[in-house]
Amino acid sequence: MTTPDARSGTGRPAELFFEDLVPGLTVDLGVVTVDADEMVAFARRFDPQWYHVDADLAAASRHGGLIASGFYTVSLFMRAYVDHLLSRAAADASPGLEELRWLAPVRADDRLAVRVDVMGARPSTARPGLGTVSLTGTMLRLGPDDRPEQEVLRTRFRGWFAVRPVEADPAEAEAEATEATPTDADQPGADQPDSGPTAAAPSTVGSSDGDPTGSSGSPEAQRPV
């Protein structure tokens, strides 16, 4: 069974862990095409400003037509990030964004190339078993020749990723199991001859509530080593 720490952001077994996300790594998140109906439907639901939803007003303005809500654009980034990285990586939650910038208008039918760059990585001091990865995400509008024309979005954020699980050595696990199995010599009374009634147990000093105390019941004697 795959443990939660070994699952990807979409719940499947993870293949990438904190140790794989090294500074300098660039991950291609594919190309997304802006759907006109979806773009407007998102704006009507979440950001109904006129230049996002009113085609006539937008056409008569300096925008020259409808432009996408910035939050729609970052949602497209997020979907690409999940599909192409988090679906493979042992991702936990994110502690947040440091920067989110909309650098140019996005319009229907734009084709946007998406990527993330790993800027830094360190073990998390707040979350043992996780590492904090600093990432920069970008979206670039592509021209007819598929060459980048303009950067339209940039974001800097951090993500938590599980460290790679350490697999137990089968030989060591078997040895530990053998050591943990009690032998006849370990059983109570194994070295005691059967010579009739046993001697009375040494007396103990009872506490007022009936809980015996003494050297064998002292905190020092019970403290684990």
Side-chain angles (χ1 to χ4, degrees):
M1 178 179 179
T2 304
T3 64
D5 286 345
R7 291 193 181 278
S8 74
T10 55
R12 293 180 293 185
E15 59 185 76
L16 297 175
F17 293 86
F18 167 71
E19 293 85 352
D20 301 307
L21 302 173
V22 296
L25 176 69
T26 295
V27 182
D28 183 355
L29 304 183
V31 176
V32 298
T33 300
V34 179
D35 180 88
D37 292 338
E38 183 182 69
M39 180 185 86
V40 174
F42 181 98
R44 285 177 177 156
R45 174 69 177 85
F46 298 106
D47 189 4
Q49 300 183 76
W50 60 266
Y51 41 82
H52 298 325
V53 298
D54 191 316
D56 293 335
L57 287 179
S61 73
R62 65 181 180 84
H63 300 295
L66 291 175
I67 60 175
S69 165
F71 290 100
Y72 173 70
T73 305
V74 77
S75 294
L76 293 178
F77 169 83
M78 189 67 205
R79 181 58 192 256
Y81 180 48
V82 171
D83 285 348
H84 296 280
L85 180 57
L86 298 188
S87 63
R88 302 166 53 210
D92 202 276
S94 168
L97 295 169
E98 279 90 33
E99 177 185 33
L100 176 58
R101 298 186 65 192
W102 296 294
L103 303 171
V106 171
R107 304 177 188 274
D109 300 322
D110 277 353
R111 297 173 63 247
L112 307 175
V114 192
R115 79 181 195 200
V116 291
D117 295 280
V118 179
M119 310 305 293
R122 58 179 176 77
S124 174
T125 55
R127 302 285 300 275
L130 299 179
T132 301
V133 180
S134 298
L135 301 149
T136 295
T138 55
M139 302 182 82
L140 298 103
R141 181 184 296 111
L142 299 179
D145 56 359
D146 285 341
R147 292 187 178 182
E149 285 187 340
Q150 188 175 21
E151 187 177 8
V152 300
L153 179 142
R154 184 186 310 134
T155 180
R156 291 188 300 110
F157 60 100
R158 291 178 292 156
W160 280 322
F161 295 85
V163 300
R164 179 172 280 103
V166 177
E167 295 184 4
D169 187 330
E172 292 182 0
E174 183 178 353
E176 291 176 359
T178 301
E179 291 175 0
T181 302
T183 64
D184 290 343
D186 296 325
Q187 300 303 317
D191 296 329
Q192 303 275 342
D194 186 6
S195 56
T198 57
S203 61
T204 59
V205 179
S207 64
S208 60
D209 60 0
D211 182 21
T213 59
S215 60
S216 63
S218 66
E220 289 79 4
Q222 294 180 354
R223 181 180 300 124
V225 293

